[in-house]
Amino acid sequence: MNQWMTLFKKEMLEMSRNFKWIWVPLTFIMIAVKEPLTLYYMPQIIDSLGGLPEGAVIELPVPSAGEALAASLSQFNTFGVLIIVLITMGTIAGERKSGVAGLILVKPVSYAWFVTAKWASSMILIWISYFLSYFLSWYYVGVLFEFISFMDFLQSFFVNGIWLTLIVTVVILFNTFMKSPGAVGFISIGIIVILSILSSSLPHLLEWSPALLSAYANAFIMGSNLPDELLPSIIVSVIMITLSLLASIAIFKRRELA
Amino acid sequence: MEFLESINWAILAPIVIIQLILVAVAIIDLVKIEKANGPKWVWALIVLFINLLGPIIYFIFGRRS
Amino acid sequence: MPVVNIINIKKQFQDQEVIKGMDFQLSERKCIALLGANGAGKTTTLKMLAGLVKPDSGSIVFEGAEKADFRRLIGYLPQFPVFYEWMTGNEFLEYAGQLAGLPKSEAKDRAKELLELTGIAEAKNRRIGKYSGGMKQRLGIAQAIIHRPKLVMLDEPVSALDPFGRREVLELMDKLKKESAILFSTHILNDAEEICDEILFLHNGELVESGTLTGLRTKHQQAKIDLAFKENTLQYAEELSLLQPVSSMKLDGEYASFFVEDIEYARELFLTEIMQRNLPLVKFEISRTRLEDVFMKVVQK
Ligand SMILES: Nc1ncnc2c1ncn2[C@@H]1O[C@H](COP(=O)(O)OP(=O)(O)OP(=O)(O)O)[C@@H](O)[C@H]1O
Ligand SMILES: [Mg+2]
């Protein structure tokens, strides 16, 4: 366990030296908070761009608080996911590519510790960034529209967080069998996109799909009925996370590192 | 410019501050870093003039990993 | 007692057979040089021993590895060491020490000690990204020995160093020999000659020759006598080469080298001849076989 802490602390130190602890949370905050703000100011923005032609009447439906917060949530699942993949795609692959891994792993380092320390540090960075940004967005929605129950917010936070966790884990998994960070990123994005498209176009076939968790998270803040498939898809996700992590360790052990 | 007047600056201020911090940190890093992934002055332009995204693009692609 | 036993290891990259079956043993407190030309397979051999490359067949058995991770027993310096550029030299050493199983305080002490020993103490708080090639090489050696491994493997430890650095590192290795077995690769024969007890010659993925320095010298002893005269070296040399025990003669600038069958007999004959004719001799040397000669010889066959 001592060694795990050593590995973990190194990851934390690295993330502060390369400013990830500053820019990742701030970026998440920007992309999340931007949504309620633009929705709120949409009428003025349209106005200032020249306004509408005389006589044109368009009814801009005033978005509900739920819709505004859901807009933030959908940002996490597009732009946010992209950032998550980009910052984790090189965490192991990059070290193998550069050759440091060769220096580190000829020391009696546990492969399981090595992989899980990487995973845990990425998780902490992402969950903290995600919480801060989503919380601020919730607050902005409250100020600009109306406050959504904090419990509903928390529940949607955790449900969507499971999906983000699965993404981190899958990127780590590809990290263990590819040497090029670019390839890791490309394949991870590909799989996430395919899974999301399949799940949303065939929801009745893949109703337990982890990719639907973000849709289920929406249900909490929109105040709609919670689907029955929520629990199964959480369970499926947790199983997939565990299996991916175990597979990462097993694959990493068998790799030639040089 | 009634649009600008109608905006509640107290609400927008945090966003502006965050953007400024990101730009500042990116520039400080760019100055201190040994070598960027490409010419430094190009990165400086990107950080300063691409709204919102500039510093993020720099942190992801500009630092040599 | 052997530290590691290497039994018939083979390695193929794509369809190129890089290591074609190799056997050897490394004993405690011995320094062994792995000699070979570029592409001979030195780095591949060391990587296999370090566990970074898996041999296709054969086995590598470390003494004491049944009970514990064999990586505890080894220290390894790659040919081109790469570090975390954002760490300082001191941070990296402490990190490496802790990963190797030292308690934090001991890792700190060892890091300090090794920074001094390898001569990079004044750069210890600088980022490794700003180190020169030679400084990285020294840091690489320090991290390899921080946990006092039984077997230290160094891939070309002195190639990147200036003459002073080379001197220092060779002396360091000489000291290290008292605690650990050292296996190091090089293509600089002088370095091997200077500090090694044993030598392994690698050629095209095969161990073409091995043994102790003196053993190899005797085995490949080539009876050779160098002569130089004040004048007319060519003429005298040609006359002398007609003598019975001379198998060949080669003019080498100022002096002539004679290869002979029996060195004792040839010496007497030469000296008598020279005395009798009163030739203006300025140099008479029975030369030792240099490692370089052995190298050339084993590689050529
Ligand atoms: N990863 C690899 N993939 C394919 N071929 C390789 C690989 N590594 C080494 N080789 C080949 O194996 C052979 C031996 O290489 P190796 O690096 O072991 O030589 P070396 O003795 O260390 O040479 P040098 O003195 O140049 O360092 C070379 O012909 C090289 O092309
Ligand atoms: Mg080599």
Side-chain angles (χ1 to χ4, degrees), chain C residues 42-43 79 155-156:
Chain C
K42 304 180 295 289
T43 298
Q79 185 166 1
D155 199 350
E156 313 226 350

Side-chain angles (χ1 to χ4, degrees), chain A residues 157-218:
Chain A
F157 167 75
F158 281 114
V159 169
N160 195 58
I162 294 172
W163 167 236
L164 299 184
T165 299
L166 179 61
I167 287 168
V168 175
T169 317
V170 165
V171 180
I172 297 269
L173 173 64
F174 286 119
N175 256 290
T176 59
F177 57 87
M178 277 180 254
K179 231 176 169 175
S180 147
V184 172
F186 188 76
I187 294 192
S188 307
I189 298 268
I191 289 199
I192 294 163
V193 168
I194 290 172
L195 191 61
S196 304
I197 291 178
L198 279 184
S199 308
S200 53
S201 49
L202 307 165
H204 47 290
L205 285 179
L206 298 170
E207 52 208 8
W208 35 260
S209 162
L212 291 176
L213 281 177
S214 47
Y216 300 153
N218 264 344

